[in-house]
Amino acid sequence: MYVVILAGGSGTRFWPLSRKAHPKQLMSVFGGRSMLQRTVERVVPLNPKRILVVTNRLQADETRRQLEYLRGVRIEVIEEPMGRNTAPAICLAATLIARHDPEAVMAVLPADHFIRDEDEFCATILRARDAAKNGYLVTLGITPDRPETGYGYIEADTALRGEGPYPVKRFVEKPDRERALEFLAAGGFYWNSGMFLWRTDVIIDRIAQHMPSLTQAFAGITFSPDIWEPADLAPQIEAVYAMVEGESIDYGVMEKAENVVVIPASFGWSDVGSWSALPEVLDADPASNVVIDAATVALDAEGCVVRAGGKIVALIGVRDLVVVDTPDALLVCTKDRAQEVKKVTEELERRGQKRYL
């Protein structure tokens, strides 16, 4: 099995700590290792033949630097010349693997997710690998424990299938709270984790079927004798990326393909999509405040998230705030609007204030 880690995101919802050259996956959000390092360490016990980390040019050097300590682990860092969403990144990785091992199973994982129970994670990946060997496109669906509106959902046909894998009926966009409550009550719905397993030849075939222009673009790449020198392919990859359009693998393939199945997963997962998600994965004080790299004086303050670069932060009479301080920027917002931090980065881009990005 090969593991492909998608690590090219910009992490705009974690601004001002996350920047284009140093996004969420390269940050030590929880202290200690970065999220990328934790993701790679998590899959090492699976003994993959190789780990392919797909990132972009701006982040590639830091990505390599962060992974240098993993001696004896075969890791390839593949640079995308520009962001084109997940489908081109996956097609690129699959094309590289297929040149060496066309029927190998490849697991595709985001670099910036939190997993609490790593042993259960590995066990679930091995179950999914067995299904992928049989030609299925496998996705991991997180068993929901609340009516979450921040995730997409997968509806599964759970009749007469034991513990899965279950055939996928449909993928559902992020719902409002009323629909999320309906999904929770109905059963058979899972959060879309963005984790996939499939045979390399199968995903290439499905991309060819549903996104033929993408397959045709990558088919023109000429490989050197050592396919594991992706840097040698940089000019060809750049030419391909200039031709293809950005698209997610969900929209491009998974929502259209046959033989798509979901395996329920319960290993303490969070996509850590914004500052407001940290209370899900970090311990809070008795007043439900989560404090990272800071000291606080909290007087009648509850439910706040604070990161302040070693500074002391005083909170008085406030509820459910996010406070993030960096040397050049300060963010203060309510937790229920933390997803809107992305709008701040868009506004800074519009104003031409790129030094803050």
Side-chain angles (χ1 to χ4, degrees), residues 28-272:
S28 175
V29 175
F30 315 111
R33 302 291 193 195
S34 72
M35 298 190 79
L36 171 64
Q37 290 170 324
R38 288 168 178 255
T39 300
V40 173
E41 289 178 353
R42 190 180 301 132
V43 300
V44 169
L46 295 168
N47 295 314
K49 292 182 179 180
R50 283 182 191 266
I51 299 171
L52 282 67
V53 180
V54 184
T55 185
N56 60 59
R57 287 177 178 171
L58 195 60
Q59 301 163 11
D61 288 344
E62 176 63 11
T63 296
R64 292 189 183 94
R65 188 194 68 78
Q66 288 200 9
L67 299 178
E68 286 177 349
Y69 74 100
L70 290 161
R71 305 294 182 185
V73 181
R74 292 182 173 180
I75 301 175
E76 309 292 340
V77 176
I78 302 170
E79 297 182 30
E80 292 183 292
M82 59 199 73
R84 285 290 187 261
N85 214 318
T86 56
I90 289 169
C91 191
L92 172 59
T95 301
L96 288 170
I97 295 169
R99 292 287 174 169
H100 179 73
D101 202 346
E103 295 186 0
V105 171
M106 54 184 283
V108 179
L109 308 172
D112 57 356
H113 288 183
F114 173 84
I115 305 289
R116 189 177 301 279
D117 188 341
E118 298 192 350
D119 290 338
E120 179 62 23
F121 167 81
C122 288
T124 304
I125 290 290
L126 293 177
R127 282 186 62 208
R129 181 193 63 183
D130 292 341
K133 285 180 179 178
N134 292 323
Y136 289 102
L137 300 177
V138 186
T139 183
L140 303 189
I142 307 301
T143 304
D145 58 9
R146 61 184 184 276
E148 177 61 54
T149 60
Y151 302 146
Y153 283 69
I154 300 168
E155 184 181 9
D157 181 359
T158 57
L160 305 177
R161 295 290 295 229
E163 296 181 351
Y166 301 120
V168 170
K169 288 184 175 181
R170 59 173 174 149
F171 290 82
V172 185
E173 290 291 329
K174 297 175 182 178
D176 58 27
R177 181 171 174 78
E178 183 177 351
R179 289 193 75 203
L181 284 166
E182 292 174 0
F183 294 163
L184 206 61
F189 284 86
Y190 301 91
W191 294 334
N192 187 352
S193 70
M195 303 182 195
F196 310 103
L197 289 93
W198 40 54
R199 278 204 333 247
T200 304
D201 59 337
V202 173
I203 189 60
I204 290 176
D205 176 75
R206 299 304 186 274
I207 293 173
Q209 181 179 353
H210 301 290
M211 305 181 71
S213 61
L214 184 58
T215 306
Q216 291 166 8
F218 279 102
I221 292 180
T222 302
F223 287 86
S224 60
D226 185 358
I227 65 166
W228 298 121
E229 287 296 335
D232 295 343
L233 303 175
Q236 296 184 74
I237 292 173
E238 185 163 3
V240 169
Y241 269 67
M243 292 189 296
V244 302
E245 296 182 359
E247 184 65 275
S248 74
I249 199 70
D250 299 75
Y251 292 126
V253 175
M254 297 299 282
E255 294 184 5
K256 304 169 185 175
E258 298 178 350
N259 282 353
V260 178
V261 298
V262 59
I263 289 183
S266 298
F267 39 64
W269 171 89
S270 172
D271 75 344
V272 199

Side-chain angles (χ1 to χ4, degrees), residues 9 19-20 25-26 59 135 146 182 238 262 296 334 357:
R19 307 292 173 101
K20 287 183 177 180
Q25 65 268 17
L26 298 177
Q59 301 163 11
R146 61 184 184 276
E182 292 174 0
E238 185 163 3
V262 59
T296 60
T334 57
L357 300 175

